[in-house]
């Protein structure tokens, strides 16, 4: 016969989109969660900025507070769920919760990308854990697999689409021929993009998530500033159309690889062959392709954001932590990070390239361009004249190259841009 099951006391930081999702799951599925965890959950306090603001969830009076001490300093609270967002004060609150011996669950990719290694060490020092499944890919299981299921592998590489907003914008540009500005406006109207879309469209959000995944994958810190980051603002609808015609799809791709020379980590738009598993990932969906030396390729796919998927990931973390606490276990699956590995500079990364340029429509123009590429040791895979250029006497052409180092390619690009026959290099994309 089982003894009395004491409720697990939980505090929450934030009751917005994600916090509201967690709250709904914990209240509407209380019995289900209790059964999975072997004990019920009791929500003790929820920190918000403004307790009197109208909310989409109806919360018991007295539960909301604007005083962080009610969550962080209450000795009865064993687990703190953080869904505030932003670096500060969130990171300070998480440190304080861990120092007070509380387990922490967070959806905060910025905090985990910038401070994850330090917070993991602090959790271990205090005999507790920090769970962050919701910080990458919303409801898609990723952190759990990296911490546990893929553990025997050496992870060779990750290719991923980790930002639903930009994937939605690129899908619209590709399917409807919309401009970047129009597709962004539509994403904002549908609630897929923030009023200030900077973090998404400039690749910052994707770089935070790649930092978290590659740190776990390579068991060594990879920080956001280690990641070459380029967004999608500069993309023209015609590049997506040409890509499609040539059998490619254009995606904001996250890439991390571990090789003999070190770790390379980058976020930038890239052409993917139509057969690539990530080429079919459209709209707001996310996907992560992981290559392990034992498992080979593993593909994760799903909704990367939203109250329910993200809430599902956080409550799953709560169930796992709650089971550990009930059974007297310590931290779940410890993360042991080694020293940071050497980084491969972007200039040394090898890739094929797509170049769209407007040139004088006269004999010898292509030969001059081919000479610059040839002198740099870059061989041309194909040259296509697409249509007449925007100005009289000009032609638009697309060149695809064989692999070259980024630094060499950039130098050749400067050389081509300086030719009098080249009017503009409007598209410069990597092909994965
Ligand atoms: N939205 C998603 O789909 C999604 C998916 C995955 C991960 N995430 C991550 O989840 C976190 C939360 O995102 P969200 O979309 O839920 O944000 P949100 O809707 O803006 O909610 C933030 C909540 O935190 C409270 N808050 C913020 N700063 C505070 C402070 N200094 N003191 C007290 N309370 C404060 C707000 O209080 P008030 O309600 O009083 O304003 C609000 O309840 C972020 O780290 C985000 O990156 C979000």
């Amino acid at each position: 016969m089982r003894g009395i099951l004491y409720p697990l006391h939980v505090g929450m930081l934030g009751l917005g989109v994600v916090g509201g999702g967690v709250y709904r799951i914990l209240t509407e599925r209380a019995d289900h969660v209790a059964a999975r965890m072997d004990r019920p959950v009791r929500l003790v306090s929820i920190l918000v900025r403004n307790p009197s603001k109208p909310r989409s969830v109806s919360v018991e009076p007295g539960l909301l507070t604007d005083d962080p001490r009610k969550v962080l300093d209450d000795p009865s609270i064993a687990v703190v769920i953080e869904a505030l967002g932003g670096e500060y004060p969130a990171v300070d609150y998480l440190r304080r919760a861990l120092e007070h011996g509380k387990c922490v669950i967070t959806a905060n990719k910025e905090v985990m990308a910038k401070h994850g290694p330090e917070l993991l060490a602090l959790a271990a020092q205090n005999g507790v854990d920090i769970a962050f499944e919701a910080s990458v890919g919303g409801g898609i299981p990723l952190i759990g697999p990296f911490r546990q299921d893929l553990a025997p592998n050496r992870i060779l590489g990750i290719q991923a689409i980790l930002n639903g907003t930009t994937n939605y914008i690129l899908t619209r540009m590709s399917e409807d021929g919309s401009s970047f500005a129009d597709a962004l406006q539509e994403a904002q109207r549908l609630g897929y993009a923030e009023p200030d879309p900077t973090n998404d469209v400039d690749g910052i959000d994707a770089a935070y998530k790649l930092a978290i995944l590659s740190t776990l994958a390579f068991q060594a810190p990879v920080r956001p500033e280690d990641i070459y980051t380029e967004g999608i603002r500069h993309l023209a609808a015609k590049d997506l159309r040409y890509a499609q015609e040539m059998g490619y799809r254009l995606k904001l791709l996250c890439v991390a690889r571990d090789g003999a020379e070190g770790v390379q980590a980058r976020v930038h738009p890239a052409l993917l062959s139509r057969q690539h598993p990530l080429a079919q990932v459209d709209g707001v969906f996310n996907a992560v392709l992981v290559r392990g030396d034992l498992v080979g390729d593993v593909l994760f796919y799903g909704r990367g954001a939203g109250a329910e998927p993200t809430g599902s990931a956080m409550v799953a973390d709560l169930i796992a932590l709650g089971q550990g606490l009930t059974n007297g276990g310590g931290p779940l699956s410890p993360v042991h990070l080694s020293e940071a590995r050497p980084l491969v500079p972007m200039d040394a990364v090898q890739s094929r390239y797509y170049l769209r340029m407007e040139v004088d429509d006269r004999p010898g123009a292509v030969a001059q361009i081919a000479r610059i590429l040839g002198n740099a040791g870059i061989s041309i895979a194909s040259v296509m004249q697409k249509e007449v250029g925007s100005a009289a006497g000009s032609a638009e052409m697309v060149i695809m190259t064989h692999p070259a180092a980024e630094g060499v390619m950039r130098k050749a690009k400067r050389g081509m841009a300086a030719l009098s026959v080249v009017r503009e290099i409007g598209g410069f994309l990597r092909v994965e």
Side-chain angles (χ1 to χ4, degrees):
M1 218 176 93
R2 304 168 69 112
I4 298 168
L5 296 173
Y6 292 102
L8 180 71
H9 285 208
V10 171
M12 283 180 62
L13 304 172
L15 192 67
V17 174
V18 173
V22 170
Y23 183 84
R24 261 193 301 272
I25 298 170
L26 290 180
T27 47
E28 291 169 10
R29 299 194 178 191
D31 291 345
H32 178 82
V33 172
R36 295 302 295 253
M37 200 166 66
D38 268 352
R39 70 200 276 201
V41 169
R42 187 170 156 230
L43 271 175
V44 178
S45 263
I46 305 175
L47 176 76
V48 289
R49 223 186 262 120
N50 175 6
S52 48
K53 173 173 138 178
R55 299 190 180 269
S56 62
V57 285
S58 61
V59 182
E60 266 177 54
L63 220 50
L64 294 181
T65 177
D66 58 4
D67 181 356
R69 289 173 304 180
K70 293 240 171 88
V71 176
L72 303 172
D73 301 346
D74 179 336
S76 81
I77 291 179
V79 181
V80 171
I81 298 178
E82 187 263 323
L84 294 176
E87 187 176 4
Y88 296 100
V91 63
D92 294 328
Y93 291 171
L94 294 189
R95 281 195 195 108
R96 199 153 118 200
L98 294 169
E99 281 161 0
H100 286 189
K102 302 178 192 311
C103 288
V104 159
I105 296 167
T106 180
N108 197 322
K109 61 212 107 173
E110 183 172 359
V111 161
M112 286 314 291
K114 293 180 177 172
H115 305 278
E118 172 220 331
L119 292 173
L120 282 158
L122 187 61
Q125 265 168 38
N126 287 282
V128 288
D129 203 0
I130 175 159
F132 47 102
E133 186 59 69
S135 66
V136 187
I140 311 170
L142 288 166
I143 307 300
F146 274 111
R147 283 180 86 159
Q148 191 164 324
D149 310 86
L150 296 168
N153 287 263
R154 182 166 162 249
I155 304 297
L156 306 173
I158 298 169
Q159 285 183 313
I161 293 171
L162 288 172
N163 184 272
T165 306
T166 45
N167 206 44
Y168 179 81
I169 292 172
L170 293 177
T171 304
R172 290 276 62 81
M173 289 174 74
S174 159
E175 287 181 359
D176 316 336
S178 314
S179 66
F180 166 76
D182 288 348
L184 169 62
Q185 215 169 44
E186 193 192 333
Q188 285 170 322
R189 189 175 57 75
L190 294 169
Y192 297 151
E194 302 277 334
D196 175 1
T198 309
N199 264 9
D200 291 320
V201 301
D202 290 342
I204 300 163
D205 172 88
Y208 288 155
K209 295 166 181 169
L210 185 63
I212 296 169
L213 288 190
S214 35
T215 295
L216 286 180
F218 307 140
Q219 297 281 294
V222 177
R223 296 157 304 169
E225 60 268 31
D226 298 334
I227 299 176
Y228 171 85
T229 305
E230 185 186 306
I232 65 162
R233 281 183 203 268
H234 61 291
L235 297 179
K238 64 164 76 171
D239 288 322
L240 283 101
R241 191 170 79 239
Y242 295 162
Q244 191 108 312
E245 285 168 14
M246 291 185 294
Y248 294 95
R249 302 296 305 273
L250 185 54
K251 297 290 176 191
L252 180 66
L253 194 69
C254 302
V255 181
R257 294 210 172 98
D258 187 15
E261 331 72 53
V263 164
Q264 57 163 284
R266 48 197 167 95
V267 174
H268 54 72
L271 297 183
L272 295 178
S273 136
R274 204 177 286 146
Q275 286 77 38
H276 191 289
L278 300 183
Q280 308 303 329
V281 177
D282 283 333
V284 293
F285 279 83
N286 285 194
V288 180
L289 180 64
V290 184
R291 178 164 294 175
D293 65 344
L294 301 172
V295 285
D297 286 350
V298 184
L299 181 64
F300 299 87
Y301 171 87
R303 291 185 184 280
E308 288 188 349
T310 313
S312 162
M314 296 193 96
V315 176
D317 276 344
L318 179 66
I319 290 171
L321 284 173
Q323 281 168 346
L325 291 169
T326 307
N327 300 327
L332 293 175
S333 309
V335 179
H336 298 295
L337 301 179
S338 61
E339 293 292 300
R341 304 245 297 111
L343 292 170
V344 177
M346 192 60 192
D347 272 357
V349 168
Q350 292 270 331
S351 156
R352 290 165 60 218
Y353 292 88
Y354 160 108
L355 291 155
R356 172 179 51 82
M357 55 181 87
E358 197 157 320
V359 300
D360 285 352
D361 193 8
R362 62 178 160 91
V366 174
Q368 289 186 46
I369 292 162
R371 196 169 312 121
I372 293 208
L373 288 170
N375 288 344
I378 301 167
S379 47
I380 294 175
S382 64
V383 180
M384 283 156 283
Q385 177 150 344
K386 298 308 296 183
E387 53 191 42
V388 286
S390 54
S394 74
E396 188 174 58
M397 51 187 259
V398 169
I399 297 178
M400 300 289 275
T401 75
H402 285 297
E406 173 101 5
V408 174
M409 185 66 225
R410 283 199 175 273
K411 191 163 167 229
K413 181 179 172 237
R414 286 195 295 276
M416 289 183 285
L419 290 172
S420 62
V421 293
V422 173
R423 300 189 181 188
E424 190 198 12
I425 301 182
F428 175 76
L429 296 164
R430 299 164 195 89
V431 185
E432 273 296 312

